[in-house]
Amino acid sequence: MLTTVKSRITPYTGGLLLATVIAVAASFLSEHYGAPVMLFALLIGIAFHFLSEDETCATGIDFAAKTLLRFGVGLLGLRLGLAEVMSLGFTPIIAVIAFVLATLACGALMSYLLGRRMAFGLLAGGSVAICGASAALAIASVLPPHKDREQDTLFVVIGVTALSTFAMIAYPILFQSLGLSDVESGFLVGATIHDVAQVVGAGYSISEEAGVIATYVKILRVALLPIVMLVTMFSFRGAKQQRVGIPWFLLMFAGCAVVANLGVLPAPLLTLLNEFSRWCLVIAISALGVKTSLARIVKVKASYSIILIAETLLLLMIALLFVYFYDI
């Protein structure tokens, strides 16, 4: 039995160990130089990209960048208090829904104007509006078969990951230069950056309060994924009928938030779980950095990037206008 357990664990150890070492190094540099730990984790991870496809590291790196990330995000619910939710109110929730709809509409319109298929517009729009590469893969799974579907999906995944990585670094600088508060910056990070990992990294690079707000707003966007998938599925005749479920980490986040606000967890245990969540996220961002290929990013065709860039800029613009006119 021990041999069986060992054989199942072994493929993960190399990649997890690499990501953990990078996370420890990033934490050390962050403590000594005062820069965001998530940024250090991402940049150091990128330097080790050559190990991302090594057979001893690939499985563990992929596990850390996906499963460990989602587990850490789920545990972030323990940090979400009623005060943070009430500070936002219901209007920002409605605004997030409007942002998603506007981004999807932009994708459809740009696709039509540039002579691309409507399916591509929804694929690109959904990835920008919801949760980046994960949304792209989920939406692609319910689109009708097409000879270019795999190529389109790969392009969207690469493009949206590149934009999200850039946004993770640039947006916190932009929002702080505009003199926005941590709550406003957190809302904007959660409402505009594509992938969950980059939202967490950008939010916590500003402050813990901004990180919690950013994660909460991002969870609202992720919660709309099943609805967008259903709309997409029924918009195309012949689309595959597939069960559409709610992401498990969304349910975990909500459950942890309820438990934390009931006050049933002892303070030492809550502190321990929050610290464990932080390390899960730093390790996950480190793994994401290892998986990030700068060479693949620069190969994205400029003509194909117009739709993704237009959607990204639209989302940023309307979110900034909302914060400007609505006092969060």
Side-chain angles (χ1 to χ4, degrees):
M1 181 176 179
L2 289 176
T3 304
T4 303
V5 172
K6 183 179 179 180
S7 64
R8 291 182 177 179
I9 294 177
T10 300
Y12 297 91
T13 54
L16 283 173
L17 182 60
L18 172 63
T20 301
V21 170
I22 293 173
V24 171
S27 297
F28 175 83
L29 291 173
S30 176
E31 291 174 1
H32 284 75
Y33 295 100
V37 63
M38 297 295 186
L39 181 59
F40 275 128
L42 180 69
L43 295 178
I44 297 174
I46 290 175
F48 287 90
H49 173 69
F50 65 93
L51 292 174
S52 62
E53 296 182 0
D54 186 285
E55 61 180 12
T56 61
C57 296
T59 303
I61 288 296
D62 193 58
F63 175 82
K66 294 179 180 179
T67 304
L68 194 62
L69 169 70
R70 285 156 176 75
F71 186 76
V73 168
L75 285 176
L76 284 178
L78 295 171
R79 304 186 189 186
L80 183 65
L82 288 176
E84 284 84 1
V85 177
M86 295 306 294
S87 68
L88 288 179
F90 290 103
T91 303
I93 297 176
I94 298 173
V96 167
I97 297 174
F99 296 166
V100 170
L101 292 176
T103 307
L104 287 171
C106 177
L109 178 61
M110 292 294 296
S111 180
Y112 172 77
L113 293 176
L114 295 176
R116 301 287 293 181
R117 294 180 304 279
M118 186 61 65
F120 180 85
L122 289 176
L123 180 65
S127 67
V128 172
I130 306 293
C131 54
S134 299
L137 296 173
I139 293 172
S141 71
V142 297
L143 284 171
H146 191 278
K147 61 182 179 67
D148 294 329
R149 180 73 61 238
E150 184 176 340
Q151 179 181 334
D152 288 347
T153 303
L154 179 60
F155 159 72
V156 171
V157 167
I158 294 174
V160 82
T161 300
L163 289 171
S164 195
T165 302
F166 172 79
M168 174 185 170
I169 299 171
Y171 281 14
I173 299 173
L174 171 64
F175 300 153
Q176 289 182 306
S177 69
L178 293 174
L180 300 176
S181 67
D182 287 355
V183 172
E184 291 172 329
S185 297
F187 172 81
L188 287 170
V189 165
T192 58
I193 296 181
H194 313 327
D195 282 311
V196 175
Q198 280 85 348
V199 166
V200 173
Y204 279 93
S205 71
I206 297 172
S207 70
E208 182 165 336
E209 182 182 20
V212 171
I213 293 294
T215 303
Y216 169 65
V217 174
K218 184 62 178 178
I219 288 295
L220 294 178
R221 290 168 67 191
V222 175
L224 297 174
L225 178 59
I227 299 174
V228 173
M229 289 176 67
L230 285 171
V231 171
T232 302
M233 185 171 61
F234 291 114
S235 296
F236 294 91
R237 182 176 300 176
K240 295 182 289 183
Q241 299 300 309
Q242 179 172 316
R243 183 180 178 184
V244 180
I246 299 175
W248 63 268
F249 66 92
L250 188 157
L251 297 175
M252 181 179 175
F253 180 92
C256 286
V258 171
V259 171
N261 284 281
L262 287 176
V264 296
L265 293 179
L269 177 59
L270 193 60
T271 301
L272 180 63
L273 289 173
N274 284 333
E275 184 65 12
F276 179 66
S277 172
R278 188 185 77 84
W279 276 104
C280 284
L281 294 173
V282 178
I283 293 172
I285 296 297
S286 301
L288 181 70
V290 176
K291 287 171 65 69
T292 300
S293 170
L294 297 180
R296 291 182 68 187
I297 289 175
V298 299
K299 288 181 181 178
V300 175
K301 295 181 180 179
S303 59
Y304 288 171
S305 304
I306 295 175
I307 295 177
L308 286 173
I309 294 174
E311 292 168 342
T312 299
L313 292 177
L314 172 71
L315 186 59
L316 176 62
M317 182 182 68
I318 59 179
L320 282 170
L321 287 173
F322 173 78
V323 169
Y324 179 78
F325 288 106
Y326 180 81
D327 186 20
I328 297 180

